[in-house]
Amino acid sequence: MNDMAAFVRIVEEGSFAAAAPGLGLTPSALSKLVSRLEDRLRVRLLTRTTRRLALTAEGQTYLERAREILAAIEAVESDLSQAGRRPGGRVRVDAGTAIAKHQLAPLLPVFHARYPEISVDLSVTDRQIDPVAEHVDLVLRTGAMGDSSLQAVRLYDGHRRICASPDYLARNGVPRTPADLASHQCLLLSHQPHLARWPFHTPEGVNAMTIRAAITVDSADILLDLAIGGAGIVRLGNILVDRALADGRLVSLLEDVHAVEPFPVWAVMPPGRFRVHRVRVLLDFLKERLGAAPS
């Protein structure tokens, strides 16, 4: 098990030198450890160059199975150590800005009150991360799943809404048809060009209209602020806009013709992490609270 754990750490860190401090061994000792492991298995696991380590096909298979085995061991130990006690320990979570601000931030105090022995270490980033390489227990993301080696739980389906502030509509008029949008100021995300095509129902079926942007921003949260401030019309996920629509800061538009495109919200985990008690407790809480979210 120690050799297996060391091998996983070496791969995740990218070199013997980077893995050495955390394992308490020298780089040369780690190199010999991998060589002994390869001799025992009678296969080459790593291709060594002066600059980097690369997994062979057999190494990739060994890495995936090793992660599953180590996760299963941790899960058993976690369950046994928590038997008869309230769940505790640290759960590392990564979430996109919109989910973190508009969903996790209101819920984490509730979770902590229910499970005070569990600490949540939350990182917020809109980039796609590798939860295995970055040692994250739970990643919350929207959209299609890419890496099939990860375990994913679908929390719920969100959808996008077209809206603007009452002040903007008072100054510029209310668009009654999709064609009216051509004479309005529209706000778009700069790093997601596919979201510049807004879908509408027509007699011929659903057609997507390409929207010309008055302002583009690489942050959905800033787009929300701009829309509330009266800068223009926006199409954003209900994760962001529902609260502003409920309290009147935004007004929903073109509901009769806007084609709803549901998008999934996922909880993504490295293999085996859902078996760890504290991770499972947080996942069940999110399913309970977010699974009831309107879709």
Side-chain angles (χ1 to χ4, degrees):
M1 291 302 102
N2 288 338
D3 288 356
M4 184 179 289
F7 177 80
V8 171
R9 186 67 175 266
I10 290 164
V11 174
E12 290 176 350
E13 296 293 344
S15 70
F16 297 122
L23 293 171
L25 296 170
T26 64
S28 61
L30 290 181
S31 178
K32 293 175 182 177
L33 181 151
V34 172
S35 294
R36 288 196 304 270
L37 184 58
E38 291 174 327
D39 290 341
R40 187 166 72 245
L41 297 174
R42 298 182 181 179
V43 295
R44 176 64 62 86
L45 299 175
L46 294 174
T47 300
R48 301 159 174 82
T49 69
T50 56
R51 293 190 175 183
R52 66 185 184 94
L53 300 174
L55 285 166
T56 64
E58 293 79 7
Q60 182 64 44
T61 299
Y62 184 81
L63 175 67
E64 292 171 1
R65 294 298 300 277
R67 283 170 170 166
E68 293 174 0
I69 291 168
L70 294 170
I73 292 171
E74 182 181 357
V76 170
E77 292 179 347
S78 174
D79 283 345
L80 291 175
S81 67
Q82 295 294 334
R85 297 193 292 123
R86 289 175 60 82
R90 183 171 67 126
V91 181
R92 293 152 296 186
V93 180
D94 182 274
T97 305
I99 294 176
K101 178 178 178 179
H102 298 277
Q103 294 189 309
L104 280 185
L107 288 180
L108 286 180
V110 180
F111 178 79
H112 183 67
R114 187 183 297 184
Y115 301 103
E117 290 86 3
I118 298 179
S119 63
V120 176
D121 182 354
L122 174 63
S123 58
V124 180
T125 175
D126 288 319
R127 65 181 174 86
Q128 294 296 322
I129 74 161
D130 179 350
V132 175
E134 301 195 30
H135 311 293
V136 173
D137 297 304
L138 201 62
V139 177
L140 302 183
R141 283 292 185 274
T142 63
M145 278 295 300
D147 190 342
S148 60
S149 70
L150 301 174
Q151 295 174 319
V153 174
R154 194 175 189 138
L155 297 176
Y156 71 95
D157 284 340
H159 62 275
R160 295 182 177 88
R161 304 183 70 174
I162 300 172
C163 45
S165 72
D167 175 63
Y168 173 85
L169 297 173
R171 289 184 285 107
N172 297 278
V174 178
R176 302 297 180 186
T177 69
D180 293 340
L181 293 172
S183 60
H184 280 269
Q185 296 171 218
C186 294
L187 315 175
L188 296 177
L189 280 171
S190 58
H191 63 295
Q192 297 193 43
H194 67 283
L195 294 181
R197 293 179 59 78
W198 295 5
F200 295 100
H201 294 290
T202 72
E204 294 76 31
V206 175
N207 287 330
M209 172 184 289
T210 300
I211 300 299
R212 181 176 56 85
I215 300 174
T216 59
V217 188
D218 63 0
S219 164
D221 241 5
I222 297 300
L223 274 190
L224 175 64
D225 291 340
L226 287 170
I228 292 173
I233 298 174
V234 74
R235 179 175 178 261
L236 288 171
N238 62 310
I239 294 171
L240 286 96
V241 301
D242 275 356
R243 192 171 301 170
L245 287 167
D247 63 23
R249 289 175 295 159
L250 291 176
V251 176
S252 185
L253 303 171
L254 300 170
E255 288 186 344
D256 56 333
V257 292
H258 180 215
V260 175
E261 292 180 318
F263 57 86
V265 178
W266 300 94
V268 183
M269 295 156 285
R273 296 307 293 172
F274 77 97
R275 299 191 188 100
V276 177
H277 194 199
R278 60 186 179 274
V279 177
R280 193 166 63 245
V281 165
L282 178 56
L283 177 61
D284 289 343
F285 174 82
L286 294 175
K287 288 167 61 179
E288 169 198 327
R289 301 304 291 258
L290 297 181
S295 61

